[in-house]
Amino acid sequence: SKIGECMSFDLRAKNWDTEDRVTRAKEISEEIIRGLNLPKEISVMEFGCGTGLVSFNYKDIFDKITLIDSSQGMIDEVNQKIKSEDIKNMESFCMDFTKGERPDEKFDFIYNSMVLHHISDTKAIFFDFYKRLNKNGLLSIVDLDTEDGNFHPKDHNFDGHKGFNQEELTDMLIDIGFEIIESKSFYSIEKLVNGEKKNYSLFTIKAQKYKK
């Protein structure tokens, strides 16, 4: 259930930043903005920021970063880091888009990493992103390619998607009014599943709110 999953993220927040996750977030953060040629002064938002592992790589790249997550535990960790590193250009909010909670402002760039597969209604969230973006705004997504269902251990109350087919997602984005800039796999995560090493690939999709 959604509640169960959120609770489990709250509990896992304190020990979230493993060396593997930090390294992976660095690579993902580079891929998210690669080729987009984004100016420093735009307003950016990370949806489903977790402990901010991706966004903290951008603290000198963008003037203002808004971090949003539905887990209070994750946001507490983010706030702790913002405070201890004395970061002035980041603010965070605990918000659940699936319950209709929204920031008031609009953004030039929205990005998210490994969040989408936790949300059952993908199209609704894409539509939200579209509405939250300024004219010609950009969206960058990183998530799992279609997987065998073993990426998430069975005990984490997971009821989301077993990864995604990139083509289905790009079709969905085009339907809503995005233009696709890029869609590709770029990274592989190795996981131990029942004592067996398995590889799961990540994709990036970059899209622009269609210039009407």
Side-chain angles (χ1 to χ4, degrees):
S1 76
K2 205 82 225 135
I3 302 286
E5 207 187 348
C6 210
M7 286 294 291
S8 83
F9 277 124
D10 288 346
L11 297 169
R12 289 151 69 199
K14 287 234 177 295
N15 309 309
W16 190 256
D17 295 4
T18 59
E19 202 178 325
D20 275 359
R21 279 205 179 100
V22 172
T23 309
R24 187 165 83 208
K26 178 95 180 84
E27 299 224 18
I28 287 173
S29 69
E30 285 166 10
E31 181 54 51
I32 280 174
I33 58 174
R34 183 175 287 127
L36 289 179
N37 201 6
L38 297 156
K40 198 172 190 297
E41 59 278 359
I42 60 171
S43 61
V44 310
M45 185 256 272
E46 181 174 13
F47 174 76
C49 63
T51 62
L53 286 180
V54 169
S55 283
F56 275 83
N57 292 304
Y58 297 150
K59 63 181 193 285
D60 302 322
I61 292 177
F62 299 117
D63 285 347
K64 181 173 187 272
I65 302 169
T66 301
L67 301 173
I68 289 175
D69 201 283
S70 62
S71 157
Q72 188 59 56
M74 292 291 188
I75 291 294
D76 291 344
E77 290 297 304
V78 167
N79 290 339
Q80 198 65 45
K81 286 191 211 173
I82 289 174
K83 206 174 148 185
S84 69
E85 294 183 38
D86 194 27
I87 295 170
K88 300 278 187 262
N89 60 338
M90 282 187 179
E91 53 179 353
S92 72
F93 300 95
C94 186
M95 257 178 208
D96 189 343
F97 270 45
T98 62
K99 291 190 185 136
E101 298 167 3
R102 304 277 182 281
D104 293 333
E105 63 192 293
K106 286 183 141 192
F107 302 93
D108 300 307
F109 179 45
I110 293 175
Y111 55 96
N112 54 82
S113 164
M114 302 294 280
V115 178
L116 219 49
H117 64 265
H118 289 277
I119 293 165
S120 47
D121 194 341
T122 314
K123 192 156 192 178
I125 215 79
F126 282 168
F127 195 65
D128 276 343
F129 294 156
Y130 187 85
K131 287 191 291 194
R132 288 287 115 223
L133 282 167
N134 288 320
K135 194 180 172 192
N136 303 338
L138 293 159
L139 173 66
S140 196
I141 297 159
V142 167
D143 218 298
L144 285 160
D145 281 308
T146 307
E147 51 103 358
D148 58 9
N150 286 312
F151 187 83
H152 285 269
K154 298 290 171 260
D155 59 347
H156 280 157
N157 297 306
F158 179 71
D159 62 354
H161 303 265
K162 296 173 183 175
F164 293 99
N165 171 312
Q166 291 177 46
E167 210 173 313
E168 282 174 21
L169 287 192
T170 54
D171 284 351
M172 221 180 259
L173 287 163
I174 290 163
D175 272 355
I176 289 166
F178 283 98
E179 257 183 299
I180 306 301
I181 296 167
E182 178 179 50
S183 170
K184 66 170 190 193
S185 300
F186 74 100
Y187 192 79
S188 183
I189 297 176
E190 193 178 80
K191 269 202 160 184
L192 212 54
V193 178
N194 306 326
E196 193 188 334
K197 279 184 180 171
K198 289 194 165 197
N199 282 308
Y200 296 96
S201 78
L202 303 187
F203 65 82
T204 175
I205 293 177
K206 298 179 179 120
Q208 184 166 31
K209 187 165 175 169
Y210 188 59
K211 317 175 189 65
K212 287 192 176 98

